Amino acid sequence: RGGQIRLDGRRVKSSTRLAAGQRLRVPPLESAKGGTPATGEVPGGDHAAPPVSRRDQRELRRRVLYRDDWLIAIDKPEGLAVQGGSGQHRHIDAMLEALRFDAAAPPRLVHRLDKDTSGVLLLARHVRAARALTKTFRDKSARKVYWAAVAGRPPKRRGVISLPLGKEGTRGAEKVKVEAHGARPAQTLYLEVSNYGRAVSWLLLMPLTGRTHQLRVHTAAIDMPILGDGKYGGRAAFPEKAGPVRRLMLHAREIDFPHPEDGTTLRIRAPVPPTMEEAWQRLGFDPEREPAALHDLIDYAANFV
């Protein structure tokens, strides 16, 4: 994504497939001892990531939801990117050393969350775990449920949003759009848990595919942008009746998946952050309604397996 890997001397998209005979250049990597690259730099002038501060180390470890010999799950805070990009130097990928614990190497990413989305993020602790978890996401064996506060009301209490998504725009200014050139199929299940009149609804969202910004674009496409999402919802994502909106109201609440070691189902939940708890109280949404709604959504999802 940063353009550091060159193919035949040129930058390429991350989706580019290699062909026999092509020349691949990989930037200097960190040594086995975790030191900086020999040159101290990578193409483009970016410097190696600085050591993880003690403050960041303490905060990341405090956010561990689950840990065993195969994986770690953390509660990613809103506002912290998962990976680096243009002008993005502080991100979880650069802090993974803080979550090494007793392993031979730091954990590695197996999926992503948007910078402004909070909630459950899985990390693999070794190569075998990474392969297994990556396959789990590819085979759609993981079930993810999100909390969202959206503007307006859905047409039905529960339903499916099935709209193909693709990227458009220049590098650094890309947006995901419905039916863009090269769009790929995307499906999101939703269920309304509660509402604040016609102004705001609390939805449970379950993505059946994993496209970039899928939940944000899908909800905006049916005129229910997620509160705080100015990129895809514009002014409609900040309804006056909702009161002050200080963040993207999207939270990766839980993930269910087969454990990579023995296949037993593992269910990991992230607590609702204080910023969303405050908004839920202001809007009169009762968290006690979640279990029944989640059961209903899971039953509905069985129709799409």
Side-chain angles (χ1 to χ4, degrees):
R1 293 177 65 229
Q4 298 172 16
I5 294 177
R6 304 297 177 97
L7 189 61
D8 292 335
R10 293 176 293 182
R11 291 189 178 195
V12 292
K13 294 183 178 180
S14 59
S15 59
T16 300
R17 294 180 176 271
L18 299 178
Q22 290 182 308
R23 186 178 183 85
L24 184 70
R25 186 190 186 283
V26 179
L29 303 178
E30 294 184 1
S31 69
K33 295 182 180 180
T36 57
T39 63
E41 297 183 351
V42 293
D46 294 329
H47 293 274
V52 184
S53 70
R54 291 185 178 181
R55 178 179 179 181
D56 283 337
Q57 184 179 49
R58 287 194 301 268
E59 178 63 12
L60 274 183
R61 291 190 172 189
R62 185 183 70 82
R63 288 182 167 273
V64 171
L65 299 169
Y66 177 86
R67 172 165 66 101
D68 62 23
D69 292 338
W70 285 73
L71 61 97
I72 294 174
I74 66 171
D75 178 14
K76 188 193 87 66
E78 173 268 335
L80 179 62
V82 172
Q83 290 179 296
S86 300
Q88 192 69 56
H89 302 293
R90 186 174 181 272
H91 49 86
I92 289 177
D93 200 22
M95 303 177 185
L96 293 178
E97 181 65 35
L99 298 174
R100 179 196 290 257
F101 295 105
D102 56 346
R108 60 196 69 194
L109 299 169
V110 290
H111 71 123
R112 295 178 58 199
L113 290 176
D114 290 348
K115 175 182 177 181
D116 295 324
T117 301
S118 55
V120 183
L121 181 71
L122 297 184
L123 307 169
R125 301 198 72 188
H126 46 71
V127 174
R128 287 179 61 197
R131 288 173 179 165
L133 290 171
T134 298
K135 185 176 185 299
T136 292
F137 284 105
R138 185 175 63 244
D139 295 345
K140 303 177 184 178
S141 300
R143 183 177 66 207
K144 294 178 284 185
V145 176
Y146 292 73
W147 278 26
V150 302
R153 293 282 306 278
K156 297 182 294 184
R157 179 173 177 266
R158 66 183 187 182
V160 57
I161 306 169
S162 185
L163 296 169
L165 302 176
K167 292 182 180 179
E168 287 187 354
T170 58
R171 185 176 182 82
E174 290 180 323
K175 287 188 71 172
V176 177
K177 295 185 177 181
V178 173
E179 298 183 349
H181 178 71
R184 301 169 66 188
Q187 284 189 312
T188 301
L189 304 184
Y190 72 82
L191 184 141
E192 183 187 59
V193 184
S194 189
N195 61 75
Y196 182 65
R198 304 297 303 180
V200 181
S201 298
W202 168 18
L203 301 184
L204 296 185
L205 300 174
M206 183 185 294
L208 300 184
T209 50
R211 310 299 179 216
T212 300
H213 295 174
Q214 176 176 318
L215 304 182
R216 298 166 61 183
V217 180
H218 268 176
T219 52
I222 61 171
D223 299 322
M224 295 191 310
I226 296 173
L227 299 193
D229 190 4
K231 180 171 184 175
Y232 292 107
R235 296 181 63 180
F238 299 87
E240 290 186 10
K241 291 185 178 180
V245 179
R246 299 185 178 88
R247 58 158 291 175
L248 179 71
M249 291 295 173
L250 182 63
H251 178 65
R253 175 62 162 165
E254 73 171 49
I255 182 169
D256 296 18
F257 60 98
H259 194 284
E261 181 179 24
D262 56 17
T264 56
T265 299
L266 192 60
R267 181 185 186 190
I268 301 174
R269 311 190 86 203
V272 180
T275 49
M276 290 186 71
E277 280 190 334
E278 186 275 332
W280 259 235
Q281 291 176 1
R282 186 174 69 247
L283 296 168
F285 296 157
D286 181 6
E288 296 297 323
R289 299 185 63 178
E290 180 194 23
L294 179 58
H295 185 271
D296 194 1
L297 180 61
I298 292 173
D299 280 350
Y300 182 58
N303 299 315
F304 297 85
V305 175

